[in-house]
Amino acid sequence: MTEEKNQQILLVKRPKGMPTEEDFKMVDKPVPQPEEGAVLIRTLYLSVDPYMRGRMNDRKSYVPPYQLNEVITGGVVGEVVQSKAADLKEGDIVLGNLGWQKYSVTGSNQVRKINPDIAPVTTALGILGMPGLTAYFGLLDIGQPKAGETVVVSGAAGAVGSVVGQIAKIKGCRVVGIAGSDEKNNYLVNELGFDAAINYKTTPDIKKALADACPKGVDIYFDNVGGDISDAVISLLNHKARIPLCGQISLYNLEKPDIGPRIQPQLLITSALMKGFIVSDYADRFDEGISQLTQWVAQGQCKFRENIIEGFENTVKAFLGLFSGENIGKQLVKVADPGQKRAVSK
Amino acid sequence: MTEEKNQQILLVKRPKGMPTEEDFKMVDKPVPQPEEGAVLIRTLYLSVDPYMRGRMNDRKSYVPPYQLNEVITGGVVGEVVQSKAADLKEGDIVLGNLGWQKYSVTGSNQVRKINPDIAPVTTALGILGMPGLTAYFGLLDIGQPKAGETVVVSGAAGAVGSVVGQIAKIKGCRVVGIAGSDEKNNYLVNELGFDAAINYKTTPDIKKALADACPKGVDIYFDNVGGDISDAVISLLNHKARIPLCGQISLYNLEKPDIGPRIQPQLLITSALMKGFIVSDYADRFDEGISQLTQWVAQGQCKFRENIIEGFENTVKAFLGLFSGENIGKQLVKVADPGQKRAVSK
């Protein structure tokens, strides 16, 4: 039996603009050994997320930048294959901030055990994980939706946007999604119950399309994308509108700061609120969020899709696909099946 | 005795860019007569305010636009010279939203009687009126200052900004003002107790000057001006910073929407909050604000200056001066002294 290696993906160059395959490198390292209190985890699914692009820049942000020639870290669902910790045993499925690698060693207190009987384990990276919580707290805590209000969501078919729209429907709002394909928009309206959806790539006049879709104006704009789309929405804000600022994916790969019409005059005349946030701002309320989202999923009130690419070697491709809008729902990479016997070096 | 006329200033053209004297016209009208329940008020002081510029455009805003060929309305302190209302008598001093005219008739329930023994009556248009309340609610309700935090105020020597800085000092903050002359900045630091002040007209690098004055970053930015100055402050925001958006005076006279670097990425990575507001959003808490401000003024913790131009005919000049930064503190026009006998038509 050949000795099994730990494949890892390192960041080797800081991307200029849109990242390319050359910014990353796949390397083989020995499979690490856990010390006392730690576990060895085999990656089953790993998450690629838009926020990771920001960490590839050498710039102060809400999370520190990735270091060059180190493994890209991010959300992983994995299986414990060797345990030196009392609270985890082989075969346990866990969620952790581990990274783009086939095996990870970490303290057992750095991961959270997940129950595969409640929902598919992949949901811990999606609707019952960071993206679902991001939607939940951004919409409910910053957006404060009230029945009868109009909510616009950009990046509406993504892992966060699709949950935002469904929660807004549960709260009795009119929900208008903005996404980049008719397939996505059919999904939003026909499967998720959005009231309307706008294809920003084919609509000749997005402001007019929005005005038609929002006859009573916009009370909440959940912003995942930024740029021209946001300018159009902001021109339609109602008095005391709220803008949870979740992402700006249209700007992440620009080489210079983007220039646009100043938004302060519009926020001023509407007494509107705009607030940036990151899900970890709500860390002390995660249990509440997971509990509520789990209930909505169980009741069929929150549906979800996952876009799963097979094979660790396709991780970078999956990541790059986020910026061309290829995914509906949560984008994941499947690395291994649970229960596989691990090849051990002799 | 010649018949006394009611001089009025009308808006006769919508300004393009910076307003000029030609956009206004002074006319003589008969002095109006109060009906039952109403009073005739002689204007003693009238207020000119930056927000009035917005109302001169034909555009939806938080207050409806001024109508062409009608009197410019705004804050007035006046004296009741004829009363047909039970609750006001001749000689009473009142505050009302009356306008750029020497005499006004209004229902007695449309004005508020002010007590000249508590403070000079002019303060009802300044620190104990709309500008003071604007500072009070914008800073305390949106800004939520905590001791030890750093507060930056633009338009710092104006009617609102000068109060913002003093309240922030009362709350134990480090306060940095931005204003347009050394005279103003001396006033801020030496009379009002600001910790530092930056002259944006002479500072070669405002971002560097701000970074030097705010070694711990910026927790609250009370924005009265917008534009490049705001860009510089926003680049220095701390995590969970707050931006009460009060005015954008640097943009009011631009003929096209201003273009600048998009601010959403910076708000996003700092989890910052920006909120537009108008003082009337807090109408149900005015009594609280006036009571607290009155106490701070009485205790000497809030000082104020008024810049009073004499003569109704100088009203437009006083208004235009707001945009060239001529005033320290509240800009007022003195129209008449109280207690003058009114010339009555025979």
Side-chain angles (χ1 to χ4, degrees), chain B residues 123-192:
Chain B
T123 58
L125 294 169
I127 194 162
L128 302 182
M130 185 272 284
L133 291 167
T134 300
Y136 180 89
F137 290 109
L139 180 66
L140 297 181
D141 190 68
I142 301 175
Q144 301 274 340
K146 290 183 275 295
E149 290 191 322
T150 298
V151 177
V152 172
V153 192
S154 59
V160 176
S162 57
V163 183
V164 168
Q166 293 181 90
I167 298 176
K169 287 305 301 177
I170 291 169
K171 296 295 175 183
C173 299
R174 174 173 178 82
V175 177
V176 176
I178 306 173
S181 76
D182 292 341
E183 182 194 359
K184 288 178 179 176
N185 286 349
N186 288 336
Y187 168 66
L188 296 177
V189 173
N190 298 324
E191 291 192 43
L192 301 190

Side-chain angles (χ1 to χ4, degrees), chain A residues 83-135:
Chain A
S83 176
K84 291 196 172 171
D87 51 344
L88 287 175
K89 63 179 190 304
E90 285 180 33
D92 282 348
I93 306 295
V94 295
L95 170 74
N97 192 45
L98 302 173
W100 292 4
Q101 53 189 347
K102 287 195 170 179
Y103 289 94
S104 306
V105 157
T106 188
S108 65
N109 60 351
Q110 297 297 303
V111 296
R112 179 165 69 81
K113 189 172 163 181
I114 54 185
N115 181 349
D117 299 331
I118 291 178
V121 297
T122 49
T123 57
L125 293 169
I127 193 160
L128 301 182
M130 185 271 283
L133 291 167
T134 300

Side-chain angles (χ1 to χ4, degrees), chain B residues 113-324:
Chain B
K113 189 172 165 181
I114 53 185
N115 182 347
D117 298 330
I118 291 179
V121 297
T122 49
T123 58
L125 294 169
I127 194 162
L128 302 182
M130 185 272 284
L133 291 167
T134 300
Y136 180 89
F137 290 109
L139 180 66
L140 297 181
D141 190 68
I142 301 175
Q144 301 274 340
K146 290 183 275 295
E149 290 191 322
T150 298
V151 177
V152 172
V153 192
S154 59
V160 176
S162 57
V163 183
V164 168
Q166 293 181 90
I167 298 176
K169 287 305 301 177
I170 291 169
K171 296 295 175 183
C173 299
R174 174 173 178 82
V175 177
V176 176
I178 306 173
S181 76
D182 292 341
E183 182 194 359
K184 288 178 179 176
N185 286 349
N186 288 336
Y187 168 66
L188 296 177
V189 173
N190 298 324
E191 291 192 43
L192 301 190
F194 282 45
D195 296 283
I198 294 168
N199 181 341
Y200 72 89
K201 289 186 180 168
T202 57
T203 301
D205 182 344
I206 187 155
K207 189 171 162 182
K208 183 180 178 304
L210 274 164
D212 290 346
C214 306
K216 293 183 185 170
V218 176
D219 299 294
I220 299 175
Y221 172 44
F222 194 105
D223 186 12
N224 288 304
V225 307
D228 297 345
I229 290 173
S230 293
D231 295 338
V233 185
I234 288 171
S235 72
L236 298 169
L237 295 182
N238 288 334
H239 187 60
K240 297 196 177 176
R242 289 83 67 196
I243 305 176
L245 206 55
C246 176
Q248 297 279 287
I249 197 171
S250 76
L251 310 182
Y252 291 164
N253 292 317
L254 300 179
E255 296 192 44
K256 290 184 196 172
D258 197 34
I259 301 291
R262 292 190 189 277
I263 59 171
Q264 287 98 325
Q266 194 64 23
L267 301 184
L268 180 57
I269 64 174
T270 55
S271 289
L273 176 149
M274 170 177 274
K275 184 167 182 345
F277 74 105
I278 174 173
V279 68
S280 57
D281 294 340
Y282 297 94
D284 59 352
R285 292 177 56 196
F286 280 180
D287 287 350
E288 165 205 331
I290 293 291
S291 165
Q292 179 62 78
L293 288 162
T294 303
Q295 188 185 334
W296 282 330
V297 169
Q299 294 168 340
Q301 292 186 277
C302 271
K303 299 172 186 168
F304 62 93
R305 273 203 203 174
E306 295 164 339
N307 200 46
I308 300 179
I309 293 187
E310 299 259 346
F312 181 73
E313 65 280 8
N314 291 317
T315 298
V316 171
K317 183 167 166 265
F319 173 67
L320 298 181
L322 296 172
F323 302 102
S324 47

Side-chain angles (χ1 to χ4, degrees), chain B residues 45-97:
Chain B
Y45 295 91
L46 63 82
S47 181
V48 292
D49 297 279
Y51 80 86
M52 293 174 161
R53 176 63 185 87
R55 296 191 65 186
M56 293 173 186
N57 296 330
D58 188 14
R59 177 185 173 205
K60 182 183 156 192
S61 180
Y62 44 72
V63 279
Y66 291 127
Q67 296 303 302
L68 283 181
N69 302 310
E70 295 203 355
V71 178
I72 305 272
T73 53
V76 161
V77 163
E79 179 180 19
V80 175
V81 290
Q82 188 180 352
S83 177
K84 291 198 172 170
D87 50 345
L88 287 174
K89 64 179 192 302
E90 285 181 34
D92 283 346
I93 307 295
V94 295
L95 170 73
N97 192 46

Side-chain angles (χ1 to χ4, degrees), chain A residues 67-184:
Chain A
Q67 296 302 302
L68 282 180
N69 302 310
E70 296 203 353
V71 177
I72 306 272
T73 53
V76 161
V77 164
E79 179 181 17
V80 175
V81 290
Q82 189 181 353
S83 176
K84 291 196 172 171
D87 51 344
L88 287 175
K89 63 179 190 304
E90 285 180 33
D92 282 348
I93 306 295
V94 295
L95 170 74
N97 192 45
L98 302 173
W100 292 4
Q101 53 189 347
K102 287 195 170 179
Y103 289 94
S104 306
V105 157
T106 188
S108 65
N109 60 351
Q110 297 297 303
V111 296
R112 179 165 69 81
K113 189 172 163 181
I114 54 185
N115 181 349
D117 299 331
I118 291 178
V121 297
T122 49
T123 57
L125 293 169
I127 193 160
L128 301 182
M130 185 271 283
L133 291 167
T134 300
Y136 181 89
F137 291 110
L139 179 67
L140 297 181
D141 191 68
I142 301 174
Q144 301 275 340
K146 289 184 274 295
E149 290 191 321
T150 298
V151 177
V152 172
V153 192
S154 59
V160 176
S162 57
V163 183
V164 168
Q166 293 180 88
I167 299 176
K169 286 306 301 176
I170 291 169
K171 297 295 175 184
C173 298
R174 175 174 178 81
V175 177
V176 177
I178 305 173
S181 76
D182 291 342
E183 183 195 358
K184 289 179 179 174

